[in-house]
Amino acid sequence: ARTLICPFNQLLDHAPCRGTFLELGCGTGIYSNLLAIQSPDRTVWGVDLKPDRIAAARKTLGQRTNIFFEIADAAQAIATRRVEVIAAIDLFHHLQAEVQTSVLQAIYSGLGSGGLLILKDIDCTPRWRYCANYIHDSVMEWGAPLHFRGRDEFRRLLENVGFHVEVVLMPKAYLSHVLFLCRKD
């Protein structure tokens, strides 16, 4: 069902064709797999805190040698490998506001000059789409708190961390997907 509501093809259009990628909060590995399948010139690391999700992701590897999955938190994953691109797809609204800031600072510090953060989240407008997503995520992650930011607030946060930010709106189905392409000089 996730492939029906998340604009993965549009996300792939914005990813460089080669390089080392790290996907934070990769879940069952959909985006990581798509990155690796689309280009053998990419090396992709998917990390998540939930062992059951990493176990499911590892079952998708087959014989491919350009993709890896491991249990790790964001700070640990960023600190232990050099990558050109970091992706976070629908992760940040699951992090508390102060954690969002500290993870973004770690990402900025961990990326080299010219590095790219591909961050997709949900916008708070229009309100009906935001409410639909809130209900969706509340059901999928029952009891877990959600911490959404509007796109302007998110952009300011990213710029305050040091990124140059391009915002791409990608509404699909009942959701207000918003993509932040964040470059480090």
Side-chain angles (χ1 to χ4, degrees):
R2 180 138 165 75
T3 59
L4 297 175
I5 61 173
C6 185
F8 287 114
N9 287 336
Q10 286 178 276
L11 294 172
L12 290 169
D13 290 343
H14 294 283
C17 293
R18 58 182 33 94
T20 303
F21 288 66
L22 172 63
E23 184 185 6
L24 305 175
C26 70
T28 59
I30 296 170
Y31 187 60
S32 292
N33 271 295
L34 291 171
L35 287 167
I37 290 167
Q38 188 184 53
S39 175
D41 294 327
R42 293 177 180 142
T43 300
V44 182
W45 289 87
V47 300
D48 201 291
L49 285 174
K50 297 185 177 179
D52 60 323
R53 291 184 181 177
I54 291 299
R58 286 179 176 156
K59 291 179 183 177
T60 67
L61 293 175
Q63 299 301 312
R64 288 176 289 130
T65 58
N66 67 332
I67 184 168
F68 310 90
F69 292 106
E70 67 182 41
I71 301 165
D73 71 7
Q76 174 188 9
I78 295 163
T80 57
R81 63 185 47 84
R82 294 195 52 78
V83 298
E84 290 87 24
V85 181
I86 295 177
I89 311 304
D90 294 326
L91 168 67
F92 272 78
H93 61 265
H94 296 282
L95 305 175
Q96 294 177 347
E98 57 277 358
V99 174
Q100 290 177 6
T101 302
S102 65
V103 170
L104 288 172
Q105 290 167 338
I107 290 170
Y108 187 82
S109 296
L111 285 172
S113 181
L116 173 66
L117 168 61
I118 299 171
L119 190 154
K120 192 212 79 67
D121 216 288
I122 300 297
D123 197 4
C124 294
T125 58
R127 193 77 176 156
W128 74 269
R129 285 182 189 250
Y130 164 74
C131 290
N133 190 78
Y134 195 92
I135 292 167
H136 170 91
D137 270 334
S138 294
V139 169
M140 297 304 291
E141 295 286 332
W142 189 256
L146 299 171
H147 307 277
F148 291 93
R149 294 176 185 261
R151 72 174 170 260
D152 293 334
E153 180 185 1
F154 225 131
R155 180 184 198 138
R156 280 191 301 276
L157 173 60
L158 291 160
E159 289 172 343
N160 287 341
V161 168
F163 286 109
H164 296 280
V165 181
E166 176 187 351
V167 177
V168 180
L169 302 180
M170 302 184 304
K172 183 173 180 180
Y174 55 87
L175 304 176
S176 289
H177 303 285
V178 59
L179 172 64
F180 301 93
L181 297 169
C182 311
R183 300 185 192 285
K184 179 177 177 180
D185 284 341

